[in-house]
Amino acid sequence: EADCAKHGITRLLVREFITPIEREDIISLAQTLDTVVDSMEDILLRIYMYNVTELRDDIAEFSKVIVSCAQALNVVLTEFKHYKNAEHINSCIVAVNNYESEGDKLLVDGVRGLSVSGCSDRELFIWTDVYEHMESCLDACEDVADIIEEVVMKNT
């Protein structure tokens, strides 16, 4: 659905004479939002492909951070429509950045925990890959927030 929405945006831009913000910013934002959705799907695909039947305890914590980050990003996107009068856009952009930093720490702590636990090489590979994809998802969310912050700064 995200791919279809991105292509729909591109089709609309071709027909529009005047856009509310620069075309390049709209395309960049659409592509980066698509990356967020793809990143979320990639996490689930890893769990499916590796036939994971039991999640590690810290995966729930990491998942909560991703959900919180996505919720903050949703507020940013909702307020972006009226960014000149938005009340919470800046604080939510900061929140997205903070969640991404928290994800960096969870990645390091998770891989470190695997390394010191004496788990099998297979487990180390699988969970390192899952952790890295979870952190990449947060990176993608931060990229969206960064684009919006740039657009707001250019247009206010």
Side-chain angles (χ1 to χ4, degrees):
E1 288 179 32
D3 289 333
C4 290
K6 182 180 72 171
H7 296 305
I9 290 169
T10 303
R11 281 192 303 277
L12 284 173
L13 281 174
V14 169
R15 290 183 285 174
E16 293 296 321
F17 181 70
I18 298 175
T19 58
I21 59 175
E22 293 180 31
R23 292 173 191 278
E24 295 82 11
D25 292 331
I26 295 169
I27 293 293
S28 180
L29 185 56
Q31 289 172 337
T32 310
L33 282 166
D34 182 53
T35 300
V36 170
V37 175
D38 289 345
S39 296
M40 289 180 183
E41 183 181 34
D42 285 345
I43 297 165
L44 298 173
L45 285 173
R46 291 312 174 276
I47 291 169
Y48 171 74
M49 289 185 308
Y50 298 137
N51 194 34
V52 171
T53 57
E54 190 174 321
L55 296 177
R56 297 176 53 83
D57 292 338
D58 55 354
I59 293 298
E61 182 182 353
F62 217 143
S63 297
K64 288 178 186 175
V65 171
I66 291 171
V67 168
S68 296
C69 186
Q71 289 169 336
L73 189 58
N74 186 49
V75 173
V76 171
L77 290 165
T78 300
E79 290 203 357
F80 184 53
K81 295 176 191 174
H82 309 287
Y83 64 88
K84 292 183 182 182
N85 299 317
E87 293 181 25
H88 304 290
I89 197 166
N90 289 328
S91 63
C92 288
I93 287 171
V94 170
V96 169
N97 291 325
N98 290 338
Y99 289 125
E100 191 282 327
S101 295
E102 193 174 340
D104 290 340
K105 182 180 180 336
L106 289 168
L107 169 66
V108 170
D109 291 348
V111 174
R112 170 84 175 140
L114 289 168
S115 297
V116 299
S117 72
C119 68
S120 70
D121 290 344
R122 181 180 186 280
E123 275 188 278
L124 180 65
F125 171 79
I126 289 169
W127 289 112
T128 297
D129 194 32
V130 171
Y131 287 133
E132 287 174 348
H133 278 83
M134 293 179 92
E135 203 283 321
S136 292
C137 181
L138 291 166
D139 287 342
C141 291
E142 184 179 44
D143 290 344
V144 172
D146 289 346
I147 290 169
I148 290 173
E149 187 174 45
E150 279 182 36
V151 169
V152 169
M153 294 302 293
K154 286 193 305 189
N155 292 285
T156 54

